[in-house]
Amino acid sequence: KELFQHHYWLSDLYISEHVDPPDWIAWFDADVVIHTPRVEELLMPHGLPVMFARRTQHYSMETMSLGLDWVGEFMDTFPQLVRPAHLQHFREFVQASFGGSNFLASYYAWRVAIEEAALLHGKSYGYLSAGECPQSSFPVFLYHFHHDEFTWALEDAASFGLPLQDTCLSFRVASHVSSWKKQVRRGNMSAPMYAQRARRLMQLGERNSGTLRVALLSANFDPTATWSQSGSVHCLGRE
């Protein structure tokens, strides 16, 4: 049974119970591995965090149920940086959209709307119902309401009419190795082997290995899924 993931939307409130709110909050998954020591330089070029997306529809019902146009799959983006003010704005937006007495009541109403939309239009592959993924839906909200506070790297999106400046390559600082995690769950890989592979991946940036190119240009450390050159022809003038 899937667990509700509303705690992501409340992360700024949890943090403020213990310390002053930070400028940025970093969202991670447990199966994310940082592969370069140049995190700050690559993660925040010109002081604006990079948001990556591909043209792979996976959790699109979430954003469309909020009345927002889907622009890409953002599970490619790790770590995902958000401001406390962004989270507060999102909670207000959800509550205004669904009219609940508080955010959680509105959140549950949103989940019902997602389930209904999935029955009518489509669901996430591999799930009994529409998948729940804050890391996918929140960046779409940020794209529409806080666009200029981020650097956008939307792969293969120029041909779909999105602004050209949002569709150019940036380097990744981390790999989302969910395929390794799934192999461990299925018994096809041991936990020690998973840990060993992760350590090797962490060392790529320090060793300046040729394999680092795969990590910098793909979301999941997949040599068959690096950034599409055909989708970036208009970006060749970039440094």
Side-chain angles (χ1 to χ4, degrees), residues 147-168:
H147 177 275
D148 294 343
E149 298 177 53
F150 294 87
T151 298
W152 301 93
L154 312 180
E155 187 175 3
D156 293 325
S159 59
F160 288 85
L162 291 172
L164 295 183
Q165 66 269 22
D166 296 342
T167 64
C168 293

Side-chain angles (χ1 to χ4, degrees), residues 66-135:
L66 280 174
L68 300 176
D69 288 338
W70 182 86
V71 296
E73 173 51 60
F74 287 93
M75 273 293 282
D76 284 4
T77 300
F78 285 107
Q80 197 169 106
L81 295 185
V82 301
R83 288 192 184 275
H86 297 155
L87 293 166
Q88 180 180 352
H89 186 192
F90 180 81
R91 292 192 296 266
E92 293 170 350
F93 179 78
V94 172
Q95 190 168 348
S97 298
F98 291 94
S101 57
N102 54 47
F103 168 69
L104 287 183
S106 301
Y107 179 83
Y108 297 141
W110 177 31
R111 290 302 310 165
V112 171
I114 295 169
E115 298 293 340
E116 292 176 348
L119 290 173
L120 292 172
H121 304 294
K123 63 182 182 180
S124 303
Y125 176 77
Y127 289 86
L128 295 177
S129 59
E132 184 182 13
C133 187
Q135 297 92 337

